[in-house]
Amino acid sequence: MKANSSPELQNGSRTSLQNTSRIVLLLTATLLLLTIIPLYLFPLLATSLAWRSLSSSSSSSSSSSSSSSSDMTRDSIAGVGVAHHSCDIFRGEWVPNPNAPYYTNESCWAIHEHQNCMKFGRPDTGFMKWRWKPTHCELPVFNPAQFLELVRGKSLAFVGDSVGRNQMQSLICLLLRVTYVVDASLTQDEKFRRYHFPTHNFTVASFWSPFLVRAHEADHKGPTLTGLFDLYLDEPDSNWTTKMTEFDYVIVSAGHWFFRPAMFYEGGQLVGCHYCLAPNVTDLTMYYSYRRVFRVAFRVFNSLEGFGGTVFLRTYAPSHFENGEWDKGGNCVRRQPFRRDETRLDGINLEMYMTQVEEFREAEREAREKGVRFRLLDATDAMLLRPDGHPSRYGHRPHENVTMYNDCVHWCLPGPIDTWNDFLLHMLKNEGGRARSRNARKSTIE
């Protein structure tokens, strides 16, 4: 027997289907409107979502590039190209940037006199108008608002010599474009300064320790009239080690002070020296002390109870004396960066750099087992290409009696050193991506 549907049932089914289709279309349109309207009315929300997505997706590739830079071989660092094309922000060239500088020597009180090149009559301004362009990607110019959001409620310490303090001063100048700072120093000693940004509860501090270990000047003249120092290579300097648990990030650096004559002590015994010219004392060279102090400094963080922060090694920044040494008429008079094919990392500069990186690698391996994070802020290649960025004779008044008349060690502000904070911001964004990855893995395990 054949079953037949009545006309009423057929009409009812069609009506029901039409109503269902209308409801589906209405719901779809509503969802689209709810998605589009907020992004149209609040475009910053779209930017924020895009940045988070980009940050998350790029964190793994950026992480591999950071580690690959610390694993560079001696040949590749000296100029042989790297086979892969992942973005290594530390390998590239300087390109013109007409928008720079982003602050002026008049607008920033943090610039010390010997870096204030424009105040003392430097006639050219071109040295301020360059930016670092990595070979296979872009490095964004420092964004102070973004930086402050990333470090909200955190603290950053600079440990090392005056070149390290240079970076802190550059950072303060960049941040003052969007906020204000108060002096929160615990002492009047200019070697130990602390500044607080109340709008974001962010603190930055500098700890003067040019040798990173306990040291004192045994003779203010010495063989080269730059002093003779006693260095206790197995005793980290307590001026900074006792304060590190207070900080979330620490940038460690040291370099040019090791060229000065020094006596080396280990276990309380004299073991050798660097250019001390003392009878019956073995000259172990400055590379011996340089390796030892980084080894002991990194061990501080790997054994420091209560420290759970991130340690950055800011690598050696070469000087650029030409036509003589610093005390024999050497000067730095170039007015634009080197191109990559005009120079290479070799000699003393390469040895200093490799010494740091080798000790860094060893400390990094040990740190993985202890939960401490080590990161390489690899500024050497970029700064090697900037002979134009030093004060030269424009770091003091004309004819002033100063130890280093032509300063080819420190850096003018504004100037190339601002790029170190471009690097730092990029690395902090990577840290955020790594933290999200760690939290995601932890949630999956739980």
Side-chain angles (χ1 to χ4, degrees), residues 173-245:
C173 291
L174 290 165
L175 295 179
L176 286 177
R177 295 163 56 202
V178 298
T179 188
Y180 68 98
V181 66
V182 296
D183 190 337
S185 302
L186 306 177
T187 173
Q188 294 302 309
D189 191 340
E190 285 296 320
K191 295 177 179 178
F192 305 97
R193 308 305 294 170
R194 210 177 270 242
Y195 300 97
H196 185 65
F197 293 84
T199 54
H200 292 76
N201 189 26
F202 170 59
T203 298
V204 62
S206 66
F207 294 87
W208 169 263
S209 186
F211 295 109
L212 301 179
V213 295
R214 185 165 75 89
H216 75 268
E217 192 171 29
D219 179 350
H220 73 282
K221 289 186 177 180
T224 61
L225 303 181
T226 57
L228 174 67
F229 293 83
D230 289 338
L231 305 186
Y232 298 85
L233 301 180
D234 53 356
E235 299 181 37
D237 183 0
S238 61
N239 283 320
W240 65 269
T241 59
T242 56
K243 304 293 192 299
M244 291 301 98
T245 54

Side-chain angles (χ1 to χ4, degrees), residues 230-422:
D230 289 338
L231 305 186
Y232 298 85
L233 301 180
D234 53 356
E235 299 181 37
D237 183 0
S238 61
N239 283 320
W240 65 269
T241 59
T242 56
K243 304 293 192 299
M244 291 301 98
T245 54
E246 303 172 25
F247 293 91
D248 300 286
Y249 307 108
V250 182
I251 299 179
V252 179
S253 61
H256 295 281
W257 279 74
F258 288 83
F259 289 86
R260 303 182 185 216
M263 310 296 286
F264 302 153
Y265 293 85
E266 292 180 283
Q269 301 296 315
L270 179 67
V271 295
C273 74
H274 163 58
Y275 201 72
C276 62
L277 304 183
N280 303 318
V281 180
T282 304
D283 193 325
L284 297 174
T285 78
M286 63 184 174
Y287 305 122
Y288 181 89
S289 59
Y290 202 53
R291 182 176 299 279
R292 290 297 191 277
V293 301
F294 276 105
R295 185 174 300 174
V296 74
F298 293 149
R299 281 178 179 169
V300 167
F301 294 104
N302 278 332
S303 61
L304 190 59
E305 191 71 31
F307 180 78
T310 302
V311 181
F312 296 87
L313 167 64
R314 194 270 298 155
T315 60
Y316 181 74
S319 60
H320 292 91
F321 292 101
E322 295 186 71
N323 301 316
E325 297 177 23
W326 71 271
D327 58 344
K328 294 180 175 63
N331 203 353
C332 39
V333 298
R334 295 180 186 267
R335 292 294 174 260
Q336 64 181 24
F338 284 127
R339 295 189 305 273
R340 176 150 298 285
D341 59 359
E342 289 184 296
T343 189
R344 60 181 294 166
L345 190 63
D346 58 12
I348 292 174
N349 292 332
L350 179 61
E351 194 67 32
M352 298 291 275
Y353 173 77
M354 289 304 300
T355 298
Q356 287 182 309
V357 172
E358 286 163 5
E359 292 303 317
F360 171 86
R361 288 174 182 159
E362 187 59 39
E364 187 181 32
R365 279 191 286 270
E366 184 180 340
R368 290 194 191 104
E369 303 170 4
K370 302 190 175 184
V372 178
R373 294 174 292 279
F374 276 79
R375 305 288 181 251
L376 192 68
L377 201 167
D378 195 346
T380 302
D381 220 34
M383 303 315 282
L384 177 69
L385 302 181
R386 290 308 305 268
D388 59 319
H390 300 286
S392 181
R393 67 178 185 272
Y394 301 110
H396 52 80
R397 293 185 299 276
H399 311 300
E400 185 176 351
N401 183 20
V402 293
T403 301
M404 189 187 298
Y405 194 85
N406 297 324
D407 184 355
C408 303
V409 173
H410 297 92
W411 302 89
C412 296
L413 290 178
I417 209 167
D418 295 323
T419 295
W420 297 359
N421 291 313
D422 297 344

Side-chain angles (χ1 to χ4, degrees), residues 25-304:
L25 286 171
L26 183 61
L27 286 172
T28 303
T30 303
L31 287 170
L32 284 170
L33 286 171
L34 288 172
T35 303
I36 293 168
I37 288 174
L39 297 180
Y40 177 77
L41 294 176
F42 307 103
L44 285 178
L45 177 60
T47 304
S48 174
L49 291 171
W51 182 80
R52 288 182 185 181
S53 174
L54 180 62
S55 174
S56 176
S57 64
S58 65
S59 62
S60 60
S61 63
S62 298
S63 172
S64 65
S65 80
S66 294
S67 62
S68 69
S69 69
S70 68
D71 290 333
M72 297 284 282
T73 65
R74 184 179 292 260
D75 285 341
S76 63
I77 293 166
V80 178
V82 185
H84 58 79
H85 293 290
S86 63
C87 180
D88 180 353
I89 62 168
F90 304 118
R91 305 289 171 256
E93 291 209 66
W94 293 93
V95 297
N97 181 17
N99 297 322
Y102 297 95
Y103 61 90
T104 66
N105 64 313
E106 294 96 348
S107 68
C108 186
W109 54 263
I111 301 174
H112 282 191
E113 293 282 273
H114 66 276
Q115 305 146 2
N116 201 339
C117 304
M118 304 312 294
K119 175 179 177 177
F120 292 111
R122 180 162 177 166
D124 62 307
T125 59
F127 70 94
M128 296 185 284
K129 296 186 175 296
W130 298 85
R131 68 176 179 87
W132 181 248
K133 168 67 175 70
T135 302
H136 298 296
C137 60
E138 291 290 335
L139 177 67
V141 170
F142 188 86
N143 182 329
Q146 189 179 74
F147 181 91
L148 286 167
E149 282 303 320
L150 287 169
V151 297
R152 183 183 289 276
K154 297 184 182 298
S155 53
L156 166 64
F158 292 85
V159 177
D161 58 19
S162 54
V163 178
R165 188 172 60 209
N166 256 183
Q167 184 179 1
M168 184 187 77
Q169 291 156 344
S170 164
L171 180 62
I172 290 172
C173 291
L174 290 165
L175 295 179
L176 286 177
R177 295 163 56 202
V178 298
T179 188
Y180 68 98
V181 66
V182 296
D183 190 337
S185 302
L186 306 177
T187 173
Q188 294 302 309
D189 191 340
E190 285 296 320
K191 295 177 179 178
F192 305 97
R193 308 305 294 170
R194 210 177 270 242
Y195 300 97
H196 185 65
F197 293 84
T199 54
H200 292 76
N201 189 26
F202 170 59
T203 298
V204 62
S206 66
F207 294 87
W208 169 263
S209 186
F211 295 109
L212 301 179
V213 295
R214 185 165 75 89
H216 75 268
E217 192 171 29
D219 179 350
H220 73 282
K221 289 186 177 180
T224 61
L225 303 181
T226 57
L228 174 67
F229 293 83
D230 289 338
L231 305 186
Y232 298 85
L233 301 180
D234 53 356
E235 299 181 37
D237 183 0
S238 61
N239 283 320
W240 65 269
T241 59
T242 56
K243 304 293 192 299
M244 291 301 98
T245 54
E246 303 172 25
F247 293 91
D248 300 286
Y249 307 108
V250 182
I251 299 179
V252 179
S253 61
H256 295 281
W257 279 74
F258 288 83
F259 289 86
R260 303 182 185 216
M263 310 296 286
F264 302 153
Y265 293 85
E266 292 180 283
Q269 301 296 315
L270 179 67
V271 295
C273 74
H274 163 58
Y275 201 72
C276 62
L277 304 183
N280 303 318
V281 180
T282 304
D283 193 325
L284 297 174
T285 78
M286 63 184 174
Y287 305 122
Y288 181 89
S289 59
Y290 202 53
R291 182 176 299 279
R292 290 297 191 277
V293 301
F294 276 105
R295 185 174 300 174
V296 74
F298 293 149
R299 281 178 179 169
V300 167
F301 294 104
N302 278 332
S303 61
L304 190 59

